Amino acid sequence: MPQEAAMETRVAVLGIIVEDPDSVARLNEVLHENADIIIGRMGIPYPKRHMNVISVAVDAPQDTIAAMAGRIGAIPGISVRAAYSKQ
């Protein structure tokens, strides 16, 4: 059988705002489940506003990234947006 062509991947950055500290454990579970597509991550606590700002760089098919962002966005107290590379 011919080998299937590899799915085209894109690089993206997920911008995540955590406003509910009780949601951090669930967020970390989702990130851990997707560790194989994560290039790197940076978290910045912002105590003045009682929140955390996290950026996660990923490389995966666009549907995989969108599904991950959807799962993260469904967690109460967390907002997420994705910015995708053009290629």
Side-chain angles (χ1 to χ4, degrees), residues 31-85:
L31 293 175
H32 178 73
E33 291 165 7
N34 290 278
D36 58 324
I37 68 166
I38 295 176
I39 300 167
R41 111 187 217 189
M42 175 180 63
I44 304 169
Y46 191 23
K48 178 180 174 184
R49 301 278 293 223
H50 307 287
M51 66 175 59
N52 293 290
V53 180
I54 303 169
S55 62
V56 180
V58 296
D59 185 356
Q62 188 167 347
D63 330 1
T64 302
I65 297 168
M68 179 180 169
R71 290 183 61 208
I72 292 170
I75 302 170
I78 296 185
S79 302
V80 62
R81 293 292 180 269
Y84 293 89
S85 65

